[in-house]
mmCIF file of all heavy atoms in Angstrom:
data_model
loop_
_atom_site.group_PDB
_atom_site.id
_atom_site.type_symbol
_atom_site.label_atom_id
_atom_site.label_comp_id
_atom_site.label_asym_id
_atom_site.label_seq_id
_atom_site.Cartn_x
_atom_site.Cartn_y
_atom_site.Cartn_z
ATOM 1 N N ALA I 1223 9.252 -31.591 -20.993
ATOM 2 C CA ALA I 1223 9.362 -30.973 -22.313
ATOM 3 C C ALA I 1223 10.807 -30.942 -22.777
ATOM 4 O O ALA I 1223 11.114 -31.159 -23.962
ATOM 5 C CB ALA I 1223 8.786 -29.556 -22.277
ATOM 6 N N GLY I 1224 11.715 -30.692 -21.834
ATOM 7 C CA GLY I 1224 13.131 -30.614 -22.186
ATOM 8 C C GLY I 1224 13.746 -31.954 -22.523
ATOM 9 O O GLY I 1224 14.786 -32.013 -23.206
ATOM 10 N N SER I 1225 13.119 -33.034 -22.058
ATOM 11 C CA SER I 1225 13.699 -34.358 -22.325
ATOM 12 C C SER I 1225 13.564 -34.739 -23.800
ATOM 13 O O SER I 1225 14.355 -35.532 -24.322
ATOM 14 C CB SER I 1225 13.005 -35.413 -21.458
ATOM 15 O OG SER I 1225 11.665 -35.632 -21.898
ATOM 16 N N GLY I 1226 12.557 -34.196 -24.484
ATOM 17 C CA GLY I 1226 12.351 -34.527 -25.895
ATOM 18 C C GLY I 1226 11.765 -35.899 -26.120
ATOM 19 O O GLY I 1226 11.593 -36.329 -27.265
ATOM 20 N N ARG I 1227 11.443 -36.622 -25.067
ATOM 21 C CA ARG I 1227 10.933 -37.988 -25.196
ATOM 22 C C ARG I 1227 9.408 -38.063 -25.085
ATOM 23 O O ARG I 1227 8.835 -39.124 -25.294
ATOM 24 C CB ARG I 1227 11.563 -38.884 -24.123
ATOM 25 C CG ARG I 1227 13.073 -39.020 -24.233
ATOM 26 C CD ARG I 1227 13.579 -40.122 -23.319
ATOM 27 N NE ARG I 1227 13.278 -39.839 -21.923
ATOM 28 C CZ ARG I 1227 14.086 -39.202 -21.096
ATOM 29 N NH1 ARG I 1227 15.254 -38.733 -21.553
ATOM 30 N NH2 ARG I 1227 13.766 -38.999 -19.835
ATOM 31 N N VAL I 1228 8.803 -36.947 -24.719
ATOM 32 C CA VAL I 1228 7.361 -36.950 -24.489
ATOM 33 C C VAL I 1228 6.706 -35.894 -25.377
ATOM 34 O O VAL I 1228 7.201 -34.767 -25.480
ATOM 35 C CB VAL I 1228 7.042 -36.649 -23.005
ATOM 36 C CG1 VAL I 1228 5.537 -36.623 -22.779
ATOM 37 C CG2 VAL I 1228 7.711 -37.673 -22.100
ATOM 38 N N ARG I 1229 5.614 -36.265 -26.002
ATOM 39 C CA ARG I 1229 4.855 -35.286 -26.766
ATOM 40 C C ARG I 1229 3.980 -34.520 -25.787
ATOM 41 O O ARG I 1229 3.041 -35.062 -25.204
ATOM 42 C CB ARG I 1229 4.004 -35.966 -27.833
ATOM 43 C CG ARG I 1229 3.348 -34.946 -28.764
ATOM 44 C CD ARG I 1229 2.515 -35.600 -29.839
ATOM 45 N NE ARG I 1229 1.904 -34.593 -30.701
ATOM 46 C CZ ARG I 1229 0.911 -34.845 -31.544
ATOM 47 N NH1 ARG I 1229 0.424 -36.084 -31.636
ATOM 48 N NH2 ARG I 1229 0.412 -33.883 -32.296
ATOM 49 N N MET I 1230 4.306 -33.233 -25.605
ATOM 50 C CA MET I 1230 3.687 -32.439 -24.544
ATOM 51 C C MET I 1230 2.353 -31.838 -24.986
ATOM 52 O O MET I 1230 2.172 -31.446 -26.137
ATOM 53 C CB MET I 1230 4.626 -31.307 -24.120
ATOM 54 C CG MET I 1230 5.935 -31.778 -23.536
ATOM 55 S SD MET I 1230 5.701 -32.669 -21.978
ATOM 56 C CE MET I 1230 5.062 -31.362 -20.933
ATOM 57 N N PRO I 1231 1.405 -31.760 -24.059
ATOM 58 C CA PRO I 1231 0.162 -31.035 -24.350
ATOM 59 C C PRO I 1231 0.453 -29.536 -24.401
ATOM 60 O O PRO I 1231 1.482 -29.065 -23.930
ATOM 61 C CB PRO I 1231 -0.726 -31.392 -23.150
ATOM 62 C CG PRO I 1231 0.231 -31.693 -22.039
ATOM 63 C CD PRO I 1231 1.424 -32.330 -22.694
ATOM 64 N N ASP I 1232 -0.470 -28.797 -24.997
ATOM 65 C CA ASP I 1232 -0.353 -27.341 -24.953
ATOM 66 C C ASP I 1232 -0.482 -26.895 -23.504
ATOM 67 O O ASP I 1232 -1.330 -27.397 -22.755
ATOM 68 C CB ASP I 1232 -1.457 -26.690 -25.788
ATOM 69 C CG ASP I 1232 -1.281 -26.958 -27.280
ATOM 70 O OD1 ASP I 1232 -0.127 -27.195 -27.691
ATOM 71 O OD2 ASP I 1232 -2.290 -26.937 -28.008
ATOM 72 N N LEU I 1233 0.368 -25.957 -23.121
ATOM 73 C CA LEU I 1233 0.364 -25.472 -21.741
ATOM 74 C C LEU I 1233 -0.026 -24.001 -21.742
ATOM 75 O O LEU I 1233 0.583 -23.184 -22.438
ATOM 76 C CB LEU I 1233 1.736 -25.660 -21.098
ATOM 77 C CG LEU I 1233 1.875 -25.174 -19.648
ATOM 78 C CD1 LEU I 1233 0.918 -25.954 -18.742
ATOM 79 C CD2 LEU I 1233 3.312 -25.333 -19.164
ATOM 80 N N GLU I 1234 -1.057 -23.649 -20.946
ATOM 81 C CA GLU I 1234 -1.541 -22.268 -20.888
ATOM 82 C C GLU I 1234 -1.632 -21.815 -19.440
ATOM 83 O O GLU I 1234 -2.117 -22.536 -18.575
ATOM 84 C CB GLU I 1234 -2.920 -22.173 -21.542
ATOM 85 C CG GLU I 1234 -3.527 -20.782 -21.483
ATOM 86 C CD GLU I 1234 -4.930 -20.722 -22.067
ATOM 87 O OE1 GLU I 1234 -5.338 -21.716 -22.718
ATOM 88 O OE2 GLU I 1234 -5.612 -19.710 -21.872
ATOM 89 N N LEU I 1235 -1.142 -20.606 -19.182
ATOM 90 C CA LEU I 1235 -1.293 -19.989 -17.868
ATOM 91 C C LEU I 1235 -2.421 -18.967 -17.970
ATOM 92 O O LEU I 1235 -2.342 -18.011 -18.735
ATOM 93 C CB LEU I 1235 0.001 -19.294 -17.439
ATOM 94 C CG LEU I 1235 -0.024 -18.617 -16.074
ATOM 95 C CD1 LEU I 1235 -0.240 -19.645 -14.966
ATOM 96 C CD2 LEU I 1235 1.264 -17.836 -15.833
ATOM 97 N N LEU I 1236 -3.492 -19.173 -17.221
ATOM 98 C CA LEU I 1236 -4.675 -18.324 -17.316
ATOM 99 C C LEU I 1236 -4.950 -17.655 -15.967
ATOM 100 O O LEU I 1236 -5.376 -18.313 -15.015
ATOM 101 C CB LEU I 1236 -5.888 -19.153 -17.743
ATOM 102 C CG LEU I 1236 -7.220 -18.401 -17.840
ATOM 103 C CD1 LEU I 1236 -7.134 -17.254 -18.835
ATOM 104 C CD2 LEU I 1236 -8.335 -19.373 -18.221
ATOM 105 N N PRO I 1237 -4.696 -16.354 -15.860
ATOM 106 C CA PRO I 1237 -5.053 -15.643 -14.619
ATOM 107 C C PRO I 1237 -6.566 -15.503 -14.514
ATOM 108 O O PRO I 1237 -7.193 -14.819 -15.325
ATOM 109 C CB PRO I 1237 -4.378 -14.268 -14.769
ATOM 110 C CG PRO I 1237 -3.408 -14.414 -15.904
ATOM 111 C CD PRO I 1237 -3.996 -15.457 -16.799
ATOM 112 N N ALA I 1238 -7.151 -16.167 -13.531
ATOM 113 C CA ALA I 1238 -8.595 -16.080 -13.344
ATOM 114 C C ALA I 1238 -8.971 -14.851 -12.536
ATOM 115 O O ALA I 1238 -10.036 -14.274 -12.693
ATOM 116 C CB ALA I 1238 -9.105 -17.336 -12.646
ATOM 117 N N SER I 1239 -8.095 -14.445 -11.633
ATOM 118 C CA SER I 1239 -8.243 -13.191 -10.896
ATOM 119 C C SER I 1239 -6.840 -12.705 -10.585
ATOM 120 O O SER I 1239 -5.930 -13.498 -10.388
ATOM 121 C CB SER I 1239 -9.052 -13.390 -9.610
ATOM 122 O OG SER I 1239 -8.401 -14.310 -8.741
ATOM 123 N N TYR I 1240 -6.677 -11.417 -10.586
ATOM 124 C CA TYR I 1240 -5.334 -10.876 -10.382
ATOM 125 C C TYR I 1240 -5.436 -9.584 -9.593
ATOM 126 O O TYR I 1240 -6.490 -8.950 -9.502
ATOM 127 C CB TYR I 1240 -4.620 -10.643 -11.718
ATOM 128 C CG TYR I 1240 -5.451 -9.948 -12.752
ATOM 129 C CD1 TYR I 1240 -5.527 -8.562 -12.829
ATOM 130 C CD2 TYR I 1240 -6.210 -10.696 -13.651
ATOM 131 C CE1 TYR I 1240 -6.311 -7.942 -13.770
ATOM 132 C CE2 TYR I 1240 -7.003 -10.069 -14.607
ATOM 133 C CZ TYR I 1240 -7.044 -8.691 -14.658
ATOM 134 O OH TYR I 1240 -7.839 -8.076 -15.590
ATOM 135 N N ASP I 1241 -4.322 -9.209 -9.014
ATOM 136 C CA ASP I 1241 -4.294 -8.055 -8.120
ATOM 137 C C ASP I 1241 -4.440 -6.744 -8.884
ATOM 138 O O ASP I 1241 -3.810 -6.543 -9.924
ATOM 139 C CB ASP I 1241 -2.974 -8.014 -7.346
ATOM 140 C CG ASP I 1241 -2.814 -9.202 -6.420
ATOM 141 O OD1 ASP I 1241 -3.847 -9.809 -6.087
ATOM 142 O OD2 ASP I 1241 -1.675 -9.498 -6.027
ATOM 143 N N LEU I 1242 -5.254 -5.872 -8.337
ATOM 144 C CA LEU I 1242 -5.335 -4.506 -8.821
ATOM 145 C C LEU I 1242 -4.302 -3.665 -8.081
ATOM 146 O O LEU I 1242 -3.784 -4.085 -7.034
ATOM 147 C CB LEU I 1242 -6.743 -3.954 -8.585
ATOM 148 C CG LEU I 1242 -7.878 -4.646 -9.339
ATOM 149 C CD1 LEU I 1242 -9.224 -4.093 -8.890
ATOM 150 C CD2 LEU I 1242 -7.703 -4.487 -10.840
ATOM 151 N N PRO I 1243 -3.973 -2.478 -8.588
ATOM 152 C CA PRO I 1243 -3.029 -1.620 -7.857
ATOM 153 C C PRO I 1243 -3.510 -1.377 -6.430
ATOM 154 O O PRO I 1243 -4.685 -1.075 -6.190
ATOM 155 C CB PRO I 1243 -3.046 -0.320 -8.679
ATOM 156 C CG PRO I 1243 -3.403 -0.751 -10.063
ATOM 157 C CD PRO I 1243 -4.369 -1.883 -9.886
ATOM 158 N N GLY I 1244 -2.604 -1.531 -5.497
ATOM 159 C CA GLY I 1244 -2.944 -1.346 -4.093
ATOM 160 C C GLY I 1244 -3.365 -2.614 -3.385
ATOM 161 O O GLY I 1244 -3.644 -2.599 -2.177
ATOM 162 N N ALA I 1245 -3.397 -3.738 -4.106
ATOM 163 C CA ALA I 1245 -3.897 -4.978 -3.501
ATOM 164 C C ALA I 1245 -3.025 -5.451 -2.348
ATOM 165 O O ALA I 1245 -3.524 -6.079 -1.411
ATOM 166 C CB ALA I 1245 -3.993 -6.074 -4.572
ATOM 167 N N ARG I 1246 -1.715 -5.156 -2.398
ATOM 168 C CA ARG I 1246 -0.851 -5.625 -1.314
ATOM 169 C C ARG I 1246 -1.154 -4.917 0.006
ATOM 170 O O ARG I 1246 -0.715 -5.371 1.070
ATOM 171 C CB ARG I 1246 0.613 -5.414 -1.685
ATOM 172 C CG ARG I 1246 1.108 -6.260 -2.867
ATOM 173 C CD ARG I 1246 0.824 -7.744 -2.660
ATOM 174 N NE ARG I 1246 1.506 -8.297 -1.529
ATOM 175 C CZ ARG I 1246 2.686 -8.917 -1.577
ATOM 176 N NH1 ARG I 1246 3.310 -9.040 -2.728
ATOM 177 N NH2 ARG I 1246 3.236 -9.417 -0.499
#
Side-chain angles (χ1 to χ4, degrees):
S1225 70
R1227 298 191 299 268
V1228 179
R1229 188 179 180 195
M1230 298 295 295
D1232 292 335
L1233 179 62
E1234 178 183 348
L1235 180 63
L1236 178 59
S1239 61
Y1240 46 87
D1241 296 339
L1242 296 174
R1246 294 307 297 266

